[in-house]
Amino acid sequence: MRNPWAQTGNYRTSYVQDTTIFATYREIVSVGVLLVALVLLPQFLERSQVLTLNFILIYAIAVLGLNITTGYAGLISVGQAAFMGVGAYTVALTAPYLPFYLTIPLGAAVAAVFGAVVGIPSLRVKHLYLALATLAFQEIFVWSVGRMPALAQGASIPVEMRNFLGYEIGFRNHNHFWYYVILFVLVLMVIAWRNLLRGKYGRALVAVRDNDRAADAMGMDPGRTKLMAFALGALYAGVAGGLLAYFQRSVVIEEFTLAKSVGFLAMAIVGGLGTVVGSLLGPAFIEYLRLSMERLSEWIKGNQAIQQLIPPGVDVASALLPLSFGLVIVLFLMFEPRGLYNWWRLVRSYFRTWPFKY
Amino acid sequence: MSDFFQFLISGIAVGSIYALAALGFVLIYKSSRVINFAHGQLIAIGAFLAYALAVWLKLPVLLALLAAIVLTALLGFVVERVFLKRLVGQPIISVIMVTIGLASVLDGLMYLTPFGSGNFSYPAFLPQEPLRLAGITISYPQLLAIGFTALFLLLFGWFFQRSTLGISMRAVADDQMASMSVGVSVERVFALAWAVAGVTAASAGMVVGTVSGLNQDSLIAIGLAVFPAVILGGLDSIPGAVVGGITIGVLQNLAAGYLNNFVPGGGTELVIPFVVLLVVLWFKPHGLFGTEEIERV
């Protein structure tokens, strides 16, 4: 008799079973608990802590998109921040005329179009070349924005939203309001992600990644599948960019540089490629790493005794961030290539079979 | 018209730096299929090492240059041995991401030296007065860049045609399995490719240093400009790297000369390489001399 609460392994025997999301009731309950916790969390936090959370959740959306392009389709994208920028600038230009529930989807759509255009080489060549196409787009995007008077040449463009359905959004409740909006969008995007990738399309992506010739022979169109992956990844980035624009109340080019794109890749890898859990853990890990490094360098700058020890001309404060960031990427790839997701999986499987060992 | 030739000459000078940098990049790609995102950092480190040895340790210039080249080659070798060798057989994303991570680490390390926060320039050892020929001026550092690249091309030509190591590298690039079966050490070739890449990176860095001074950001930017050059030339072609590098350099200078007046803010030379990169990927993704992958099931 199958126990709906506990499971000792994967006993899926049919396609229908394999496309189910939750294997046991326990998983449904744990997702529910997580959601309730996320909804209640900001009530116990300061405004500045909610600010960090908001960034993490927005980055999680962008990383989810990257997990379609890089995690599922195996196409390296170093342009995710630029796609995010496309979404953000679309929002900045349309926000004075349209409500946010229209501008954000619009930004996502424009970003998806850009993603498809950048992905055009995928019709002919394989993954390595595509990484360079995204790199080129990233550089061209930052350069062009910096020279467009309509986009303030990369300087700050204000994005204002003072009230929503009569609910006043002021200085005090800004972070909390947007936390719930971002959380809502994130949940929607996760559901879409999961449904998209457990079905026919997700399987086609995996098939094309693992062996595109075999996939071709079995009737999938590798070029179109990859192009779709690019467009979808960019669409997620566009949503994240739109949310970022509203939440930051402005759009600045510094948010959409190559360094940020590399940061998203790092988040995806540290979290664990191609997983929802990883898309949440990765951004959280990298953001908190960044914050603690910033605090550490502030502390070094303020501490006279340590300043004495450092020889002149040595910039420890600005060295800390790239050093720690690079080390985290390299160490994870060498010792835990499956990322934080793997740790979480180990913990989960312990509890799933508890009180038995297996 | 003399304007045009002026742009052409300066472009060739800049382009030969790219060509030099691209050589090492292509070498790594050819032998181990790794796209090295840390190439700009190798270039910067080579240039800084030469400065540190020549100015701070007061070594004779030639010895300092040679020592910097050897040290950067050693760095490339160590990077391959410590990081990339462990990732053989891992998905290509991991390997590329490791080079991105390494780039970040090396960036951080450079911030720990005075080079991270200041501009430096080599002591002038070339005549300051530029050379004038039929209305075209060319500075000695630019001549040095062209000469250095030509020299390295000759050296590489000899190395790949005549030396056993060079021939085994070509063999590995052509077919790893076949070369393993005739006794070529593929491992050694991978490490060697990184070391040679270090050599070209360091020499490119020194040439940049003499032409335009030492600045961490602009040296690292050369590492990014290498991508358009190698894609245009063909990712796995050594002559392609040279042709691609010089073409990109010339295009940059022509763009700066002719287009900057029409663009608010100027700076078209910064974006032209990437436009070329995207266009090449759209229409001729294997570049001018790259081998097209022909796949059979």
PDB file of all heavy atoms in Angstrom, chain A residues 328-352:
ATOM      1  N   VAL A 328      33.903  31.892  -4.248  1.00  0.00           N
ATOM      2  CA  VAL A 328      32.681  31.120  -4.049  1.00  0.00           C
ATOM      3  C   VAL A 328      32.324  30.363  -5.329  1.00  0.00           C
ATOM      4  O   VAL A 328      32.027  29.167  -5.309  1.00  0.00           O
ATOM      5  CB  VAL A 328      31.527  32.051  -3.615  1.00  0.00           C
ATOM      6  CG1 VAL A 328      30.193  31.390  -3.838  1.00  0.00           C
ATOM      7  CG2 VAL A 328      31.684  32.415  -2.162  1.00  0.00           C
ATOM      8  N   ILE A 329      32.405  31.053  -6.472  1.00  0.00           N
ATOM      9  CA  ILE A 329      32.077  30.389  -7.742  1.00  0.00           C
ATOM     10  C   ILE A 329      33.006  29.197  -7.962  1.00  0.00           C
ATOM     11  O   ILE A 329      32.569  28.079  -8.238  1.00  0.00           O
ATOM     12  CB  ILE A 329      32.220  31.372  -8.928  1.00  0.00           C
ATOM     13  CG1 ILE A 329      31.246  32.534  -8.782  1.00  0.00           C
ATOM     14  CG2 ILE A 329      31.977  30.662 -10.240  1.00  0.00           C
ATOM     15  CD1 ILE A 329      31.374  33.536  -9.903  1.00  0.00           C
ATOM     16  N   VAL A 330      34.312  29.465  -7.828  1.00  0.00           N
ATOM     17  CA  VAL A 330      35.288  28.422  -8.142  1.00  0.00           C
ATOM     18  C   VAL A 330      35.148  27.246  -7.182  1.00  0.00           C
ATOM     19  O   VAL A 330      35.121  26.079  -7.596  1.00  0.00           O
ATOM     20  CB  VAL A 330      36.721  29.007  -8.089  1.00  0.00           C
ATOM     21  CG1 VAL A 330      37.736  27.897  -8.201  1.00  0.00           C
ATOM     22  CG2 VAL A 330      36.919  30.010  -9.200  1.00  0.00           C
ATOM     23  N   LEU A 331      35.018  27.541  -5.882  1.00  0.00           N
ATOM     24  CA  LEU A 331      34.942  26.459  -4.907  1.00  0.00           C
ATOM     25  C   LEU A 331      33.679  25.628  -5.088  1.00  0.00           C
ATOM     26  O   LEU A 331      33.717  24.401  -5.010  1.00  0.00           O
ATOM     27  CB  LEU A 331      35.013  27.025  -3.483  1.00  0.00           C
ATOM     28  CG  LEU A 331      36.364  27.638  -3.120  1.00  0.00           C
ATOM     29  CD1 LEU A 331      36.334  28.223  -1.727  1.00  0.00           C
ATOM     30  CD2 LEU A 331      37.467  26.599  -3.229  1.00  0.00           C
ATOM     31  N   PHE A 332      32.554  26.304  -5.351  1.00  0.00           N
ATOM     32  CA  PHE A 332      31.325  25.546  -5.568  1.00  0.00           C
ATOM     33  C   PHE A 332      31.466  24.634  -6.774  1.00  0.00           C
ATOM     34  O   PHE A 332      31.084  23.465  -6.738  1.00  0.00           O
ATOM     35  CB  PHE A 332      30.124  26.479  -5.747  1.00  0.00           C
ATOM     36  CG  PHE A 332      29.328  26.614  -4.489  1.00  0.00           C
ATOM     37  CD1 PHE A 332      29.526  27.685  -3.635  1.00  0.00           C
ATOM     38  CD2 PHE A 332      28.392  25.660  -4.145  1.00  0.00           C
ATOM     39  CE1 PHE A 332      28.808  27.805  -2.470  1.00  0.00           C
ATOM     40  CE2 PHE A 332      27.664  25.765  -2.980  1.00  0.00           C
ATOM     41  CZ  PHE A 332      27.879  26.839  -2.135  1.00  0.00           C
ATOM     42  N   LEU A 333      32.026  25.170  -7.867  1.00  0.00           N
ATOM     43  CA  LEU A 333      32.142  24.355  -9.075  1.00  0.00           C
ATOM     44  C   LEU A 333      33.061  23.170  -8.851  1.00  0.00           C
ATOM     45  O   LEU A 333      32.851  22.098  -9.397  1.00  0.00           O
ATOM     46  CB  LEU A 333      32.676  25.207 -10.221  1.00  0.00           C
ATOM     47  CG  LEU A 333      31.631  26.101 -10.844  1.00  0.00           C
ATOM     48  CD1 LEU A 333      32.279  27.103 -11.756  1.00  0.00           C
ATOM     49  CD2 LEU A 333      30.626  25.260 -11.606  1.00  0.00           C
ATOM     50  N   MET A 334      34.094  23.361  -8.022  1.00  0.00           N
ATOM     51  CA  MET A 334      35.044  22.278  -7.840  1.00  0.00           C
ATOM     52  C   MET A 334      34.562  21.243  -6.843  1.00  0.00           C
ATOM     53  O   MET A 334      34.799  20.060  -7.013  1.00  0.00           O
ATOM     54  CB  MET A 334      36.407  22.840  -7.420  1.00  0.00           C
ATOM     55  CG  MET A 334      37.126  23.488  -8.590  1.00  0.00           C
ATOM     56  SD  MET A 334      38.594  24.361  -8.113  1.00  0.00           S
ATOM     57  CE  MET A 334      39.615  23.041  -7.542  1.00  0.00           C
ATOM     58  N   PHE A 335      33.882  21.710  -5.781  1.00  0.00           N
ATOM     59  CA  PHE A 335      33.564  20.764  -4.719  1.00  0.00           C
ATOM     60  C   PHE A 335      32.078  20.465  -4.583  1.00  0.00           C
ATOM     61  O   PHE A 335      31.706  19.445  -4.027  1.00  0.00           O
ATOM     62  CB  PHE A 335      34.124  21.271  -3.389  1.00  0.00           C
ATOM     63  CG  PHE A 335      35.609  21.444  -3.433  1.00  0.00           C
ATOM     64  CD1 PHE A 335      36.190  22.696  -3.431  1.00  0.00           C
ATOM     65  CD2 PHE A 335      36.424  20.324  -3.535  1.00  0.00           C
ATOM     66  CE1 PHE A 335      37.560  22.835  -3.498  1.00  0.00           C
ATOM     67  CE2 PHE A 335      37.794  20.459  -3.601  1.00  0.00           C
ATOM     68  CZ  PHE A 335      38.367  21.709  -3.582  1.00  0.00           C
ATOM     69  N   GLU A 336      31.217  21.336  -5.042  1.00  0.00           N
ATOM     70  CA  GLU A 336      29.786  21.058  -4.960  1.00  0.00           C
ATOM     71  C   GLU A 336      29.090  21.584  -6.212  1.00  0.00           C
ATOM     72  O   GLU A 336      28.337  22.558  -6.172  1.00  0.00           O
ATOM     73  CB  GLU A 336      29.204  21.717  -3.692  1.00  0.00           C
ATOM     74  CG  GLU A 336      27.775  21.340  -3.379  1.00  0.00           C
ATOM     75  CD  GLU A 336      27.545  19.848  -3.246  1.00  0.00           C
ATOM     76  OE1 GLU A 336      27.414  19.186  -4.285  1.00  0.00           O
ATOM     77  OE2 GLU A 336      27.507  19.348  -2.108  1.00  0.00           O
ATOM     78  N   PRO A 337      29.378  20.925  -7.362  1.00  0.00           N
ATOM     79  CA  PRO A 337      28.842  21.476  -8.617  1.00  0.00           C
ATOM     80  C   PRO A 337      27.319  21.472  -8.666  1.00  0.00           C
ATOM     81  O   PRO A 337      26.743  22.171  -9.495  1.00  0.00           O
ATOM     82  CB  PRO A 337      29.455  20.578  -9.697  1.00  0.00           C
ATOM     83  CG  PRO A 337      30.022  19.410  -9.008  1.00  0.00           C
ATOM     84  CD  PRO A 337      30.249  19.775  -7.586  1.00  0.00           C
ATOM     85  N   ARG A 338      26.665  20.682  -7.806  1.00  0.00           N
ATOM     86  CA  ARG A 338      25.201  20.710  -7.824  1.00  0.00           C
ATOM     87  C   ARG A 338      24.630  21.816  -6.941  1.00  0.00           C
ATOM     88  O   ARG A 338      23.420  21.969  -6.827  1.00  0.00           O
ATOM     89  CB  ARG A 338      24.647  19.351  -7.405  1.00  0.00           C
ATOM     90  CG  ARG A 338      24.709  18.355  -8.562  1.00  0.00           C
ATOM     91  CD  ARG A 338      24.340  16.977  -8.103  1.00  0.00           C
ATOM     92  NE  ARG A 338      25.302  16.468  -7.128  1.00  0.00           N
ATOM     93  CZ  ARG A 338      25.214  15.268  -6.567  1.00  0.00           C
ATOM     94  NH1 ARG A 338      24.214  14.475  -6.869  1.00  0.00           N
ATOM     95  NH2 ARG A 338      26.119  14.864  -5.699  1.00  0.00           N
ATOM     96  N   GLY A 339      25.524  22.546  -6.282  1.00  0.00           N
ATOM     97  CA  GLY A 339      25.095  23.747  -5.581  1.00  0.00           C
ATOM     98  C   GLY A 339      24.405  23.502  -4.253  1.00  0.00           C
ATOM     99  O   GLY A 339      24.346  22.380  -3.749  1.00  0.00           O
ATOM    100  N   LEU A 340      23.878  24.589  -3.694  1.00  0.00           N
ATOM    101  CA  LEU A 340      23.198  24.509  -2.406  1.00  0.00           C
ATOM    102  C   LEU A 340      21.995  23.577  -2.472  1.00  0.00           C
ATOM    103  O   LEU A 340      21.600  22.980  -1.476  1.00  0.00           O
ATOM    104  CB  LEU A 340      22.734  25.910  -1.976  1.00  0.00           C
ATOM    105  CG  LEU A 340      23.834  26.898  -1.621  1.00  0.00           C
ATOM    106  CD1 LEU A 340      23.242  28.276  -1.415  1.00  0.00           C
ATOM    107  CD2 LEU A 340      24.543  26.457  -0.355  1.00  0.00           C
ATOM    108  N   TYR A 341      21.420  23.456  -3.668  1.00  0.00           N
ATOM    109  CA  TYR A 341      20.270  22.580  -3.833  1.00  0.00           C
ATOM    110  C   TYR A 341      20.580  21.190  -3.326  1.00  0.00           C
ATOM    111  O   TYR A 341      19.744  20.536  -2.726  1.00  0.00           O
ATOM    112  CB  TYR A 341      19.873  22.523  -5.310  1.00  0.00           C
ATOM    113  CG  TYR A 341      18.885  21.434  -5.617  1.00  0.00           C
ATOM    114  CD1 TYR A 341      17.550  21.576  -5.257  1.00  0.00           C
ATOM    115  CD2 TYR A 341      19.277  20.247  -6.240  1.00  0.00           C
ATOM    116  CE1 TYR A 341      16.637  20.579  -5.515  1.00  0.00           C
ATOM    117  CE2 TYR A 341      18.378  19.251  -6.497  1.00  0.00           C
ATOM    118  CZ  TYR A 341      17.058  19.410  -6.139  1.00  0.00           C
ATOM    119  OH  TYR A 341      16.165  18.425  -6.390  1.00  0.00           O
ATOM    120  N   ASN A 342      21.815  20.742  -3.565  1.00  0.00           N
ATOM    121  CA  ASN A 342      22.193  19.396  -3.158  1.00  0.00           C
ATOM    122  C   ASN A 342      22.163  19.247  -1.639  1.00  0.00           C
ATOM    123  O   ASN A 342      21.725  18.225  -1.119  1.00  0.00           O
ATOM    124  CB  ASN A 342      23.576  19.069  -3.708  1.00  0.00           C
ATOM    125  CG  ASN A 342      23.842  17.591  -3.685  1.00  0.00           C
ATOM    126  OD1 ASN A 342      22.932  16.798  -3.933  1.00  0.00           O
ATOM    127  ND2 ASN A 342      25.055  17.211  -3.355  1.00  0.00           N
ATOM    128  N   TRP A 343      22.618  20.271  -0.928  1.00  0.00           N
ATOM    129  CA  TRP A 343      22.578  20.220   0.537  1.00  0.00           C
ATOM    130  C   TRP A 343      21.133  20.117   1.012  1.00  0.00           C
ATOM    131  O   TRP A 343      20.795  19.340   1.881  1.00  0.00           O
ATOM    132  CB  TRP A 343      23.243  21.464   1.155  1.00  0.00           C
ATOM    133  CG  TRP A 343      24.678  21.614   0.794  1.00  0.00           C
ATOM    134  CD1 TRP A 343      25.404  20.765   0.017  1.00  0.00           C
ATOM    135  CD2 TRP A 343      25.546  22.655   1.177  1.00  0.00           C
ATOM    136  NE1 TRP A 343      26.690  21.232  -0.103  1.00  0.00           N
ATOM    137  CE2 TRP A 343      26.809  22.381   0.597  1.00  0.00           C
ATOM    138  CE3 TRP A 343      25.407  23.792   1.969  1.00  0.00           C
ATOM    139  CZ2 TRP A 343      27.904  23.211   0.779  1.00  0.00           C
ATOM    140  CZ3 TRP A 343      26.497  24.617   2.146  1.00  0.00           C
ATOM    141  CH2 TRP A 343      27.730  24.332   1.556  1.00  0.00           C
ATOM    142  N   TRP A 344      20.304  20.946   0.380  1.00  0.00           N
ATOM    143  CA  TRP A 344      18.897  20.956   0.732  1.00  0.00           C
ATOM    144  C   TRP A 344      18.278  19.590   0.458  1.00  0.00           C
ATOM    145  O   TRP A 344      17.478  19.077   1.230  1.00  0.00           O
ATOM    146  CB  TRP A 344      18.191  22.048  -0.079  1.00  0.00           C
ATOM    147  CG  TRP A 344      16.753  22.194   0.260  1.00  0.00           C
ATOM    148  CD1 TRP A 344      16.225  22.857   1.316  1.00  0.00           C
ATOM    149  CD2 TRP A 344      15.659  21.664  -0.474  1.00  0.00           C
ATOM    150  NE1 TRP A 344      14.867  22.772   1.299  1.00  0.00           N
ATOM    151  CE2 TRP A 344      14.499  22.043   0.203  1.00  0.00           C
ATOM    152  CE3 TRP A 344      15.549  20.905  -1.635  1.00  0.00           C
ATOM    153  CZ2 TRP A 344      13.228  21.691  -0.243  1.00  0.00           C
ATOM    154  CZ3 TRP A 344      14.296  20.552  -2.078  1.00  0.00           C
ATOM    155  CH2 TRP A 344      13.156  20.939  -1.384  1.00  0.00           C
ATOM    156  N   ARG A 345      18.670  18.963  -0.661  1.00  0.00           N
ATOM    157  CA  ARG A 345      18.143  17.669  -1.048  1.00  0.00           C
ATOM    158  C   ARG A 345      18.517  16.616   0.002  1.00  0.00           C
ATOM    159  O   ARG A 345      17.710  15.767   0.363  1.00  0.00           O
ATOM    160  CB  ARG A 345      18.731  17.273  -2.402  1.00  0.00           C
ATOM    161  CG  ARG A 345      18.046  16.122  -3.089  1.00  0.00           C
ATOM    162  CD  ARG A 345      18.733  15.857  -4.407  1.00  0.00           C
ATOM    163  NE  ARG A 345      20.143  15.545  -4.215  1.00  0.00           N
ATOM    164  CZ  ARG A 345      20.599  14.326  -3.941  1.00  0.00           C
ATOM    165  NH1 ARG A 345      19.764  13.321  -3.850  1.00  0.00           N
ATOM    166  NH2 ARG A 345      21.882  14.119  -3.768  1.00  0.00           N
ATOM    167  N   LEU A 346      19.771  16.710   0.496  1.00  0.00           N
ATOM    168  CA  LEU A 346      20.219  15.742   1.494  1.00  0.00           C
ATOM    169  C   LEU A 346      19.393  15.872   2.766  1.00  0.00           C
ATOM    170  O   LEU A 346      18.942  14.883   3.337  1.00  0.00           O
ATOM    171  CB  LEU A 346      21.704  15.954   1.795  1.00  0.00           C
ATOM    172  CG  LEU A 346      22.647  15.624   0.642  1.00  0.00           C
ATOM    173  CD1 LEU A 346      24.077  15.972   1.005  1.00  0.00           C
ATOM    174  CD2 LEU A 346      22.531  14.157   0.266  1.00  0.00           C
ATOM    175  N   VAL A 347      19.180  17.136   3.176  1.00  0.00           N
ATOM    176  CA  VAL A 347      18.376  17.370   4.379  1.00  0.00           C
ATOM    177  C   VAL A 347      16.967  16.830   4.165  1.00  0.00           C
ATOM    178  O   VAL A 347      16.406  16.136   5.010  1.00  0.00           O
ATOM    179  CB  VAL A 347      18.334  18.878   4.700  1.00  0.00           C
ATOM    180  CG1 VAL A 347      17.350  19.152   5.822  1.00  0.00           C
ATOM    181  CG2 VAL A 347      19.720  19.381   5.053  1.00  0.00           C
ATOM    182  N   ARG A 348      16.413  17.103   2.988  1.00  0.00           N
ATOM    183  CA  ARG A 348      15.039  16.712   2.707  1.00  0.00           C
ATOM    184  C   ARG A 348      14.896  15.193   2.720  1.00  0.00           C
ATOM    185  O   ARG A 348      13.967  14.652   3.285  1.00  0.00           O
ATOM    186  CB  ARG A 348      14.620  17.268   1.351  1.00  0.00           C
ATOM    187  CG  ARG A 348      13.162  17.079   1.064  1.00  0.00           C
ATOM    188  CD  ARG A 348      12.833  17.525  -0.330  1.00  0.00           C
ATOM    189  NE  ARG A 348      13.584  16.724  -1.305  1.00  0.00           N
ATOM    190  CZ  ARG A 348      13.397  16.803  -2.611  1.00  0.00           C
ATOM    191  NH1 ARG A 348      12.539  17.670  -3.100  1.00  0.00           N
ATOM    192  NH2 ARG A 348      14.099  16.057  -3.420  1.00  0.00           N
ATOM    193  N   SER A 349      15.875  14.516   2.102  1.00  0.00           N
ATOM    194  CA  SER A 349      15.711  13.070   2.023  1.00  0.00           C
ATOM    195  C   SER A 349      15.878  12.440   3.401  1.00  0.00           C
ATOM    196  O   SER A 349      15.314  11.385   3.678  1.00  0.00           O
ATOM    197  CB  SER A 349      16.684  12.461   1.012  1.00  0.00           C
ATOM    198  OG  SER A 349      17.995  12.625   1.474  1.00  0.00           O
ATOM    199  N   TYR A 350      16.627  13.132   4.268  1.00  0.00           N
ATOM    200  CA  TYR A 350      16.724  12.628   5.640  1.00  0.00           C
ATOM    201  C   TYR A 350      15.353  12.665   6.306  1.00  0.00           C
ATOM    202  O   TYR A 350      14.905  11.710   6.922  1.00  0.00           O
ATOM    203  CB  TYR A 350      17.720  13.482   6.427  1.00  0.00           C
ATOM    204  CG  TYR A 350      17.768  13.143   7.890  1.00  0.00           C
ATOM    205  CD1 TYR A 350      18.509  12.057   8.342  1.00  0.00           C
ATOM    206  CD2 TYR A 350      17.056  13.893   8.824  1.00  0.00           C
ATOM    207  CE1 TYR A 350      18.554  11.727   9.675  1.00  0.00           C
ATOM    208  CE2 TYR A 350      17.092  13.569  10.167  1.00  0.00           C
ATOM    209  CZ  TYR A 350      17.847  12.485  10.591  1.00  0.00           C
ATOM    210  OH  TYR A 350      17.873  12.169  11.901  1.00  0.00           O
ATOM    211  N   PHE A 351      14.652  13.795   6.121  1.00  0.00           N
ATOM    212  CA  PHE A 351      13.377  13.940   6.798  1.00  0.00           C
ATOM    213  C   PHE A 351      12.270  13.134   6.125  1.00  0.00           C
ATOM    214  O   PHE A 351      11.303  12.742   6.766  1.00  0.00           O
ATOM    215  CB  PHE A 351      12.958  15.413   6.853  1.00  0.00           C
ATOM    216  CG  PHE A 351      13.666  16.146   7.938  1.00  0.00           C
ATOM    217  CD1 PHE A 351      14.650  17.064   7.638  1.00  0.00           C
ATOM    218  CD2 PHE A 351      13.358  15.892   9.261  1.00  0.00           C
ATOM    219  CE1 PHE A 351      15.313  17.727   8.646  1.00  0.00           C
ATOM    220  CE2 PHE A 351      14.021  16.554  10.278  1.00  0.00           C
ATOM    221  CZ  PHE A 351      15.006  17.477   9.969  1.00  0.00           C
ATOM    222  N   ARG A 352      12.444  12.872   4.820  1.00  0.00           N
ATOM    223  CA  ARG A 352      11.377  12.179   4.105  1.00  0.00           C
ATOM    224  C   ARG A 352      11.228  10.738   4.599  1.00  0.00           C
ATOM    225  O   ARG A 352      10.150  10.201   4.681  1.00  0.00           O
ATOM    226  CB  ARG A 352      11.659  12.197   2.605  1.00  0.00           C
ATOM    227  CG  ARG A 352      10.532  11.603   1.807  1.00  0.00           C
ATOM    228  CD  ARG A 352      10.571  12.026   0.388  1.00  0.00           C
ATOM    229  NE  ARG A 352      11.807  11.590  -0.249  1.00  0.00           N
ATOM    230  CZ  ARG A 352      12.156  11.944  -1.467  1.00  0.00           C
ATOM    231  NH1 ARG A 352      11.384  12.771  -2.143  1.00  0.00           N
ATOM    232  NH2 ARG A 352      13.257  11.520  -1.999  1.00  0.00           N
TER     233      ARG A 352
END
